[in-house]
Amino acid sequence: MWSAFANPERFERLAARLVPWFGWGAVILFAIGLPWALIISPPDYQQGDTVRIMYVHVPSAWLSMAAYAGLGGASFVYFIWRHNVADLAAQALAPIGAVFAFLTLATGSLWGRPMWGTWWEWDARLTSMLVLFLLYLGYMALRAAIEDERLAARAGAILAMAGLINLPIIKFSVDWWNTLHQPASVIRLDGPTIHASQLWPLLVMALAFTALMTALVFMNVRNMSLARRAEARARRKIEGGEG
């Protein structure tokens, strides 16, 4: 199974086909989700229009965690099997996941000021999300600091895999500790507690962000793969000319 995705040329052809589908899917979903979330959906009876921050905050939180799970998984595949496409996927996921983690922190701060009376609180959920953002930055900084590409990939993979322990901490922090952050209201064993008038636009926005992230990841991996192969060809030409 892995060999099919480890072939750079095969992956590039697959990515070229999928990027337009996910890209246009994101455009369509945002065209539906944005007016639904920001205009049509009702204000919350307690939070008022502040609740509309949720339509960006919650998908960003989900995708920042999903991107890191993908980063850790791709790093594991590279570390064990040395599949270069997996390493490229990890590199592509890191900056995208970092952006979503930053959006989560920023929108959470905007929501927290009117709801909690503070821009920031060192509770378990917020702190563990900040750790996730720092893990993304640390991964990218580590890759950039090591000149040897293979050594950088291995070191980055180790850091990414170690950071996976933070994901369950983020998820269950509201259950394990007494925090200001509200408990889960969508992904629950007993079903969502959020009203359908807010749940459906939230899910559409989550799908829109997911389609956007998927398109960006495939596009970035394809571009990096093409650049890496072009560099390899140029290197072989130089070495052949010198010989």
Side-chain angles (χ1 to χ4, degrees), residues 6 8 78 81-89 91 150 228:
Y78 175 78
W81 289 286
R82 300 292 192 275
H83 287 179
N84 289 327
V85 173
D87 180 50
L88 294 178
Q91 291 185 71
R150 291 187 179 275
R228 182 174 289 186

Side-chain angles (χ1 to χ4, degrees), residues 61-160:
W62 288 346
L63 290 176
S64 66
M65 296 174 65
Y68 197 89
L71 170 60
S75 296
F76 176 80
V77 171
Y78 175 78
F79 192 80
I80 300 299
W81 289 286
R82 300 292 192 275
H83 287 179
N84 289 327
V85 173
D87 180 50
L88 294 178
Q91 291 185 71
L93 280 163
I96 296 171
V99 169
F100 278 117
F102 176 79
L103 277 176
T104 303
L105 294 169
T107 53
S109 181
L110 290 173
W111 182 89
R113 184 68 179 94
M115 293 297 104
W116 295 343
T118 180
W119 296 104
W120 181 262
E121 182 69 30
W122 290 99
D123 85 338
R125 173 59 64 82
L126 274 67
T127 303
S128 54
M129 181 56 69
L130 176 61
V131 169
L132 180 66
F133 178 60
L134 294 177
L135 281 169
Y136 278 123
L137 297 184
Y139 175 86
M140 291 186 288
L142 180 62
R143 295 291 303 249
I146 301 175
E147 293 186 7
D148 186 289
E149 192 172 296
R150 291 187 179 275
L151 180 58
R154 285 179 60 81
I158 293 171
L159 174 61

Side-chain angles (χ1 to χ4, degrees), residues 2-107:
W2 295 115
S3 60
F5 295 97
N7 185 297
E9 294 184 22
R10 189 176 301 170
F11 179 86
E12 290 162 13
R13 291 194 296 268
L14 174 66
R17 291 195 297 268
L18 291 179
V19 166
W21 284 97
F22 282 107
W24 282 109
V27 170
I28 294 170
L29 288 167
F30 275 121
I32 298 170
L34 282 172
W36 195 356
L38 301 181
I39 301 173
I40 300 172
S41 67
D44 186 75
Y45 75 101
Q46 288 182 319
Q47 303 177 39
D49 285 323
T50 306
V51 75
R52 301 188 192 282
I53 298 173
M54 168 186 71
Y55 299 114
V56 175
H57 176 74
V58 174
S60 296
W62 288 346
L63 290 176
S64 66
M65 296 174 65
Y68 197 89
L71 170 60
S75 296
F76 176 80
V77 171
Y78 175 78
F79 192 80
I80 300 299
W81 289 286
R82 300 292 192 275
H83 287 179
N84 289 327
V85 173
D87 180 50
L88 294 178
Q91 291 185 71
L93 280 163
I96 296 171
V99 169
F100 278 117
F102 176 79
L103 277 176
T104 303
L105 294 169
T107 53

Side-chain angles (χ1 to χ4, degrees), residues 218-237:
F218 273 110
M219 182 175 64
N220 288 350
V221 174
R222 180 174 182 266
N223 290 342
M224 286 190 292
S225 180
L226 289 169
R228 182 174 289 186
R229 290 205 297 124
E231 290 175 3
R233 284 196 299 267
R235 194 179 304 115
R236 285 195 297 269
K237 286 183 179 180

